[in-house]
Amino acid sequence: MALTMNYGSLTQYGSGFSVNSLTQDGYTTGRLSGIDINETGVIFRALYQRSSQIAGQVTLSNFANPQGLRQVGNTTWAETFSSGTALTGAPGSSSLGLLQSGALEESNVELSAQLVRHDHCTA
């Protein structure tokens, strides 16, 4: 394979590099002014002086046996053979619930303890 260089079309100017002209065909840099998440998990970002744009989507996971999950932190859980494989999807699809954005949980119980509670009430 032979490589041939043609230097006839190259130019060099007697000055340092500079930008001679600049045009813009889009928006300027935006500043984030807010974030909202709808009930199906779509994340919208509001940029200052612009309309909202979709930034992503939250996904949820469900397990055939949530009691089989292994606790690896205070509120962190890991899949095990007993829990089954995670069934992941968008909120509101399949058997997954919806999200409620902006809601504050003010429960007086420790939720992770309730998730793996094994005692059953009997009458």
Side-chain angles (χ1 to χ4, degrees):
M1 179 171 150
L3 181 63
T4 305
M5 299 295 291
N6 180 0
Y7 296 104
S9 62
L10 296 178
T11 59
Q12 179 176 354
Y13 299 103
S15 66
F17 175 78
S18 66
V19 177
N20 296 327
S21 68
L22 179 64
T23 59
Q24 180 176 326
D25 63 354
Y27 290 110
T28 62
T29 303
R31 289 184 301 189
L32 187 64
S33 62
I35 292 178
D36 188 33
I37 303 172
N38 72 11
E39 64 183 12
T40 59
V42 177
I43 303 168
F44 295 93
R45 63 178 173 208
L47 300 174
Y48 180 70
Q49 296 181 342
R50 281 195 254 166
S51 60
S52 294
Q53 298 173 339
I54 295 175
Q57 184 171 22
V58 174
T59 60
L60 297 178
S61 294
N62 196 7
F63 294 88
N65 177 21
Q67 298 296 329
L69 292 169
R70 179 174 47 93
Q71 189 171 5
V72 293
N74 288 337
T75 58
T76 307
W77 302 86
E79 178 182 306
T80 67
F81 180 76
S82 177
S83 70
T85 303
L87 304 171
T88 302
S93 67
S94 189
S95 63
L96 300 172
L98 296 172
L99 299 180
Q100 184 173 356
S101 179
L104 177 62
E105 173 63 41
E106 293 189 33
S107 176
N108 62 356
V109 296
E110 210 282 297
L111 294 177
S112 59
Q114 294 297 314
L115 180 64
V116 294
R117 198 171 130 193
H118 292 288
D119 62 325
H120 299 281
C121 296
T122 58

